[in-house]
Amino acid sequence: MNSTPPPANSQLQALASDLARKQSLVVITGAGISAESGISTFRGIDGYWARFNPQELASPEGFARDPELVWRWYDERRRQILTAQPNPGHRAIAELEKHFPEFLLITQNVDGLHAQASSKKLIEIHGSIWRVRCMRSGQEWENREVYEQFPVKCRCGALLRPAVLWFGESYQPSLISRAQKAVNSAEAVLVIGTSGQVWIVSGLLAQARQNALTAEFNLEQTETSHSVNYLILGPSGQTLPQLLSELTQLSP
Ligand code: BV8
């Protein structure tokens, strides 16, 4: 049975033909790329932050004030992510990596789904929800346990914290310089599933070359939309595989 191909979007075709001539691509993703894997975004109507204030949760002050509340929030997210699978959007980005001699994926997400989708050239610039850090020794390790007691304690008796980057904490200089260098030399930058509210998105886009091709994939317009060459509206789990198939036809 021949399934009718999805309606080819002229924007996607034009973007694919522009991208086919590029050698270097940087992709920046946010929570929206994981939405179709069933993971809540931050600012959407069902978003985490509809119910909480980020400063209360994703910040050292919030953790110091109420480590139990913060751990319960992270534990809820860990349980949600544990059963989540990469969606076609994650997998399309992992395939895109093979089309470009120079490629870097910079994700704000801490859910690990890009790595699970076999993206290799990847920076998890906000860390991983699966890593924890001892507040006494500073030691960090991966831990996929489902916790029952909160706040979570280290074997040494001190508090453990999620080893993610909180608001008010500084980016690892090595990660920032790697990300900035990549954006600086990229011929094309895709921004996918992010409201662009956290500085890192605008901070990195500001580093893009004047003549870099830029495209945003989102469900709606964002603060970034006015400054990109292409705005591809729709769920990234559909639009990215469409881009990949257009690109593969042009440069198999
Ligand atoms: C730093 C880890 C300095 C924890 C997170 C004033 C001005 C500028 C900056 C600041 C300022 N005041 C303070 C700051 C700094 C602050 C900041 O940016 N604040 C903002 C909010 C004003 N930043 C910091 O403190 C950072 N540190 O800047 O240090 C520095 C700089 C350089 C070098 C050295 C030092 C540290 C910030 C780290 C915060 N930690 N995460 C955790 O996850 O718990 S950020 C958190 O928000 C998540 O990581 C998330 O990724 C991130 C951003 O949100 P989005 O990913 O964009 O998600 P959101 O829900 O907002 O949007 C989802 C989008 O997807 C929507 O647009 C939606 O339409 C779309 N979508 C939904 N479904 C789909 C979809 N799109 C396509 N398909 C779909 N199906």
Side-chain angles (χ1 to χ4, degrees), residues 31 36 42-43 74 77 108 165 168-169 194-195 199 218 236:
E36 290 158 86
F42 284 79
R43 295 173 183 82
Y74 278 93
R77 293 170 63 194
Q108 300 173 86
L165 191 72
E169 296 183 321
T194 179
S195 61
W199 167 83
N218 203 305
S236 50

Side-chain angles (χ1 to χ4, degrees), residues 17-53:
S17 63
D18 282 352
L19 274 178
R21 289 190 287 272
K22 306 295 183 192
Q23 297 295 308
S24 56
L25 173 66
V26 165
V27 178
I28 301 171
T29 62
I33 185 95
S34 295
E36 290 158 86
S37 297
I39 298 176
S40 314
T41 61
F42 284 79
R43 295 173 183 82
I45 26 163
D46 68 335
Y48 292 123
W49 291 356
R51 287 177 288 140
F52 303 104
N53 171 333

Side-chain angles (χ1 to χ4, degrees), residues 86-132:
N87 65 58
H90 294 104
R91 285 197 290 276
I93 292 175
E95 284 303 311
L96 269 181
E97 184 171 330
K98 301 168 188 168
H99 281 255
F100 294 87
E102 279 170 61
F103 179 93
L104 184 62
L105 167 57
I106 303 160
T107 188
Q108 300 173 86
N109 301 341
V110 297
D111 57 31
L113 291 183
H114 281 302
Q116 231 176 297
S118 307
S119 279
K120 299 280 179 288
K121 297 174 183 167
L122 162 65
I123 295 184
E124 293 179 324
I125 202 135
H126 290 158
S128 163
I129 203 163
W130 298 117
R131 292 181 66 77
V132 292

Side-chain angles (χ1 to χ4, degrees), residues 123-167:
I123 295 184
E124 293 179 324
I125 202 135
H126 290 158
S128 163
I129 203 163
W130 298 117
R131 292 181 66 77
V132 292
R133 187 185 306 148
C134 172
M135 294 289 277
R136 178 177 292 150
S137 67
Q139 271 189 327
E140 250 185 55
W141 60 90
E142 180 155 320
N143 177 313
R144 289 177 174 264
E145 237 176 283
V146 176
Y147 299 119
E148 299 302 337
Q149 301 281 328
F150 302 102
V152 182
K153 294 277 180 71
C154 177
R155 283 187 299 275
C156 76
L159 273 178
L160 282 185
R161 60 161 279 182
V164 297
L165 191 72
W166 277 335
F167 284 101

